[in-house]
């Protein structure tokens, strides 16, 4: 994962935490602006375009938790929430194979729950450290179960971005924004995801206006 993707996940995780504490509306947008301002400073002083060095399984850090971001789309409570929390707890400890296994069992018991399929897609992508046919299938199943709802497509885009395909990720997120109500509570997360990945692609003369 290169610096930009790590930065994107940190921004989304921070916004998810704010959302969990019921920060909404203009305050959430202000927080997002502050985070993006900090990202701009990192872009100016750091080297986010440089890929990180490959690590062994023992050296690999656990995935950044997506719990708060998931709650922004699906809420904090649900009949299958305990499965997701167990899986995410295992992932935070670096046990990504076990995390995926928990959700594979969960979707067998609850095949009609789109949030579980999204969680499985995330867990499989975390375990492989890239998007895979199995994770794509999980996201596709979630989308079939909840046609028109943005969460499956958003997390599929995030998995693409984490796999290095920022262009397709941004395209998916822009489609979501084009369809989203202006007052959707999760809209700022999608907007900030687009801003975090789309800004580095601008040419220098675009940024300076020359």
């Amino acid at each position: 994962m290169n610096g930009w993707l790590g930065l994107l996940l940190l921004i989304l995780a921070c916004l998810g935490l704010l959302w969990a504490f019921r920060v909404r509306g203009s305050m959430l947008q202000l927080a997002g602006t502050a985070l993006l301002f900090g990202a701009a400073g990192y872009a100016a002083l750091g080297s986010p375009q440089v890929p990180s060095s490959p690590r062994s399984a023992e050296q690999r850090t656990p995935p950044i938790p997506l719990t708060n971001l998931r709650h922004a789309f699906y809420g904090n409570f649900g009949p299958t929430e305990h499965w997701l929390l167990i899986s995410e707890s295992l992932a935070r400890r670096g046990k990504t194979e076990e995390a995926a296994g928990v959700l594979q069992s969960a979707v067998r018991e609850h095949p009609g729950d789109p949030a579980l399929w999204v969680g499985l897609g995330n867990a499989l992508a975390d375990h492989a450290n890239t998007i895979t046919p199995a994770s794509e299938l999980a996201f596709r199943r979630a989308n079939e179960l909840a046609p028109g709802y943005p969460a499956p497509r958003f997390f599929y885009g995030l998995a693409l971005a984490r796999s290095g395909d920022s262009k397709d990720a941004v395209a998916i997120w822009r489609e979501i924004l084009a369809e989203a109500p202006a007052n959707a509570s999760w809209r700022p997360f999608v907007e900030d995801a687009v801003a975090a990945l789309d800004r580095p692609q601008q040419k220098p003369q675009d940024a300076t206006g020359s």
Side-chain angles (χ1 to χ4, degrees), residues 26-196:
S26 60
M27 289 300 296
L28 185 60
Q29 292 175 357
L30 181 61
T33 301
L35 287 168
L36 290 174
F37 182 77
Y42 172 57
L45 300 176
S47 300
Q49 74 282 359
V50 178
S52 58
S53 301
R55 296 184 177 185
S56 66
E58 293 77 13
Q59 294 173 313
R60 185 180 300 168
T61 56
I64 294 177
L66 299 177
T67 306
N68 291 322
L69 188 57
R70 176 174 58 77
H71 285 165
F73 286 92
Y74 286 113
N76 295 41
F77 304 100
T80 58
E81 175 72 7
H82 62 288
W83 290 100
L84 292 157
L85 291 176
I86 291 170
S87 175
E88 289 162 352
S89 176
L90 288 167
R92 283 195 294 272
R93 301 200 299 272
K95 298 181 178 181
T96 55
E97 183 175 4
E98 292 90 338
V102 165
L103 291 179
Q104 286 171 334
S105 298
V107 297
R108 283 195 291 269
E109 287 197 25
H110 307 278
D113 190 310
L116 284 179
W117 285 101
V118 166
L120 178 58
N122 290 331
L124 290 169
D126 279 341
H127 178 57
N129 209 28
T130 187
I131 196 165
T132 64
S135 57
E136 286 193 12
L137 180 62
F139 289 123
R140 190 179 309 123
R141 181 59 181 150
N143 197 50
E144 290 170 355
L145 290 168
Y149 193 65
R153 287 182 293 156
F154 174 80
F155 285 102
Y156 175 59
L158 187 56
L160 286 174
R162 296 163 72 187
S163 303
D165 190 356
S166 300
K167 181 178 179 181
D168 284 347
V170 170
I172 290 170
W173 294 336
R174 287 192 181 281
E175 288 179 0
I176 292 173
L177 289 175
E179 303 164 1
N183 62 346
S185 61
W186 42 261
R187 186 182 178 100
F189 296 100
V190 186
E191 292 172 338
D192 288 335
V194 170

Side-chain angles (χ1 to χ4, degrees), residues 1-18 31-32 34-36 38-39 42 48 61-66 68-69 154 158 162 189 192-193 196-197:
M1 181 188 301
N2 63 28
W4 285 117
L5 296 182
L7 185 61
L8 166 62
L9 289 174
L10 285 172
I11 289 173
L12 293 178
C14 289
L15 288 172
L17 186 61
L18 290 171
L35 287 168
L36 290 174
Y42 172 57
T61 56
I64 294 177
L66 299 177
N68 291 322
L69 188 57
F154 174 80
L158 187 56
R162 296 163 72 187
F189 296 100
D192 288 335
L197 285 191

